[in-house]
Amino acid sequence: MTTHPSSRTEWTVRGTDRDEYIEVMRVVGEALLSPEPPREREHHLRPLLDAEGYDRVLVAVDGDEVVGSVNDFAFEMAMPGGPRPVAGVTGVGVWPTYRRRGVLSAMMRRQLADIHARGEHYAALWASEGAIYGRFGYGPAVAEMETGLRRPHARLRADAPRDPSLRIRLADPEQVRPDLERVHREVAAVQAGRFQRAEHWWDRTLRDLPEQRGGGGPLRAVVVSGPGGPLGYALYRTRNRWERDGSHGEVHVQEVTATAPAAWTALYEHLFNRDLVGEVLFASLAVDDPLHHLLADRGRAVPTLYTSLWVRLVDVPAALSERSYAAPVEAVLEVADRFAPWNAGRWRLRAGTGGARVEATDAAPDVSLDVSHLGAAHLGQTALDGYLRAGLLTEHTTGTVERLDTALHRSRAPFCGQVF
């Protein structure tokens, strides 16, 4: 493929199929600076697409050449108010010589219309470049963290909850996969931002090819169980490293989660007490992960925060109506939305701990804001007050933003933990 701007001034956005998807991989790989040619990446992507189907993949074509692509997966994601269908946007790319010609805008506009037509109220994505997606109505809704602990400081408090009756098993992940799936299913039902993993997503999570190991050992699973079954697990790999003064091995934790306090303690003490280990590294934790509270010296686990999930309200009145609220609030929201015009306008929100109602109105607005601000705030971690102080939204009725933030707040931080 030698895609370049031709003399044509027209291109179209349409669906695609399995046979053409190799061209999609070529375009997206080039856009994301992938070091591997499409055929070498195919075994990573094909299982997902074959399982999910190709009907959600859109391409921009100039004649017979694919010059752009965007896709979304059908997820069930925990949202405030319960699990909801969410379009997990991925595979976004434009051939470099077609940039800044409106290709991405046209694909995103078409994708949002398709998502809306399917009756889905939300879209979410991980942004390879955050500056791109705000203009399409996505807001940075989830901050996660990576951190690490050197061995002398990897100790838990003496009063951390411990249960000697819990069983701890270290195994190949496939040997304990039913336990992993059970724990994750329970956690993903209630922690905003997580989505339920179908079988093909578990295949992807547990795939352990040599080129994925980064010089480390094979993927390992440790499962903590009680009389009623599994209560938590961690997926990790070790890396053997020696220096002049001895072993400085590493434990690289891919994910860790639990459903009971004593299980968190058992998992962290297992990770911290591996022999020959000098440092334990966590790639992705919720910002309120129990680790900070369990550590004897929490200041030693210095967090590096990063934005993970961006959220987009595809149907503003439906999304706000089905959300749960921590406190009563009533406000008229004037929403701007260039890419989903059905959202633009004034909406009266009446909400409380028992439910919410949203309806169109001609009343004067209490707040004027962009749909991306609502997406950022929807999972309860990002406050609208930051946008207000930055001058990016307008408060017409003093105190409205504070009341909205109070109502939208959730005590537990959202978390995704799975790049898609």
Side-chain angles (χ1 to χ4, degrees), residues 34-308:
S34 173
E36 301 172 313
R39 291 295 182 190
E40 293 183 16
R41 300 198 316 277
E42 193 168 9
H43 67 283
H44 292 290
L45 295 173
R46 280 292 186 191
L48 287 180
L49 271 297
D50 285 344
E52 297 264 349
Y54 295 82
D55 58 315
R56 290 174 175 249
V57 183
L58 296 172
V59 293
V61 293
D62 186 352
D64 294 329
E65 293 184 317
V66 175
V67 299
S69 176
V70 63
N71 180 29
D72 65 89
F73 295 122
F75 288 148
E76 179 186 293
M77 183 177 287
M79 305 293 279
R84 304 284 185 239
V86 173
V89 176
T90 187
V92 181
V94 175
W95 193 257
T97 52
Y98 278 79
R99 292 175 63 250
R100 305 190 185 282
R101 298 176 62 186
V103 176
L104 180 57
S105 294
M107 292 191 300
M108 298 296 281
R109 194 183 301 274
R110 164 68 182 274
Q111 183 184 54
L112 286 169
D114 288 353
I115 294 169
H116 187 248
R118 292 195 298 262
E120 297 166 3
H121 304 157
Y122 315 89
L125 56 80
W126 287 66
S128 56
E129 191 173 352
I132 294 174
Y133 292 99
R135 70 178 189 269
F136 300 121
Y138 290 84
V142 181
E144 299 179 13
M145 69 176 181
E146 58 179 314
T147 190
L149 279 160
R150 297 189 184 278
R151 185 62 175 268
H153 310 296
R155 294 181 296 105
L156 302 189
R157 298 163 53 112
D159 62 348
R162 294 173 175 85
D163 183 349
S165 71
L166 295 182
R167 179 190 176 207
I168 304 173
R169 181 185 179 191
L170 180 64
D172 180 282
E174 287 294 344
Q175 292 179 309
V176 292
R177 179 163 167 167
D179 292 340
L180 308 180
E181 293 179 354
R182 176 175 166 178
V183 172
H184 187 274
R185 187 163 53 247
E186 292 181 23
V187 174
V190 296
Q191 186 167 24
R194 286 190 184 264
F195 65 88
Q196 294 290 349
R197 285 181 185 156
E199 182 177 356
H200 49 279
W201 281 99
W202 274 107
D203 292 342
R204 180 188 177 105
T205 300
L206 301 182
R207 187 179 295 126
D208 188 30
L209 302 175
E211 59 265 28
Q212 296 176 286
R213 295 175 181 171
L219 191 64
R220 292 288 182 240
V222 57
V223 177
V224 175
S225 301
L231 298 172
Y233 71 84
L235 295 173
Y236 69 93
R237 65 180 79 250
T238 58
R239 180 177 298 167
N240 191 5
R241 188 163 65 88
W242 292 86
E243 296 185 3
R244 292 180 61 184
D245 61 345
S247 175
H248 290 263
E250 299 170 344
V251 170
H252 291 258
V253 183
Q254 180 173 307
E255 61 182 70
V256 55
T257 193
T259 59
W264 283 108
T265 299
L267 288 169
Y268 283 125
E269 291 195 322
H270 168 83
L271 296 169
F272 294 157
N273 290 321
R274 286 295 306 258
D275 289 338
L276 305 180
V277 169
E279 189 171 15
V280 181
L281 301 163
F282 297 90
S284 182
L285 296 175
V287 297
D288 61 352
D289 189 274
L291 176 64
H292 277 316
H293 302 284
L294 292 171
L295 284 171
D297 184 356
R298 62 180 295 169
R300 298 293 184 169
V302 180
T304 299
L305 299 181
Y306 59 91
T307 299
S308 59

